[in-house]
Amino acid sequence: MRPPVLQTGAAGNLCPRRSRRRDPDRTPKNRPVTVSDLHASICHAPGINPNKEVMTPLQRPIKLVDNGKPVAELFS
């Protein structure tokens, strides 16, 4: 069984004036982080191996994180 993970974010337009145009300078250039990298970092923090496979209730193996690597900058 997968451990419960809570991922939050701004799903809507919280600031309509700001959301009318995209600011190209706000995109990461040096180190973009994917969702899988974020999930791997969340697993790495308490010491869970993100590459571990667990069995679903239907006896089907599933990986905790799909091709993600922990972001080392968060833990240094």
Side-chain angles (χ1 to χ4, degrees):
M1 194 162 103
R2 282 187 159 180
V5 174
L6 177 65
Q7 180 179 350
T8 62
N13 291 333
L14 299 178
C15 182
R17 184 182 304 167
R18 181 81 175 137
S19 65
R20 287 187 191 143
R21 62 184 175 89
R22 291 282 182 184
D23 189 2
D25 295 335
R26 296 192 59 150
T27 57
K29 293 175 180 60
N30 296 337
R31 176 75 162 91
V33 176
T34 64
V35 174
S36 294
D37 293 341
L38 175 65
H39 290 173
S41 299
I42 292 170
C43 287
H44 177 75
I48 299 170
N49 181 7
N51 298 320
K52 181 180 177 180
E53 285 190 357
V54 295
M55 297 298 276
T56 65
L58 297 175
Q59 299 304 313
R60 186 176 149 212
I62 189 167
K63 293 174 83 173
L64 289 178
V65 178
D66 190 29
N67 299 327
K69 296 180 182 177
V71 180
E73 292 89 352
L74 293 175
F75 304 104
S76 59

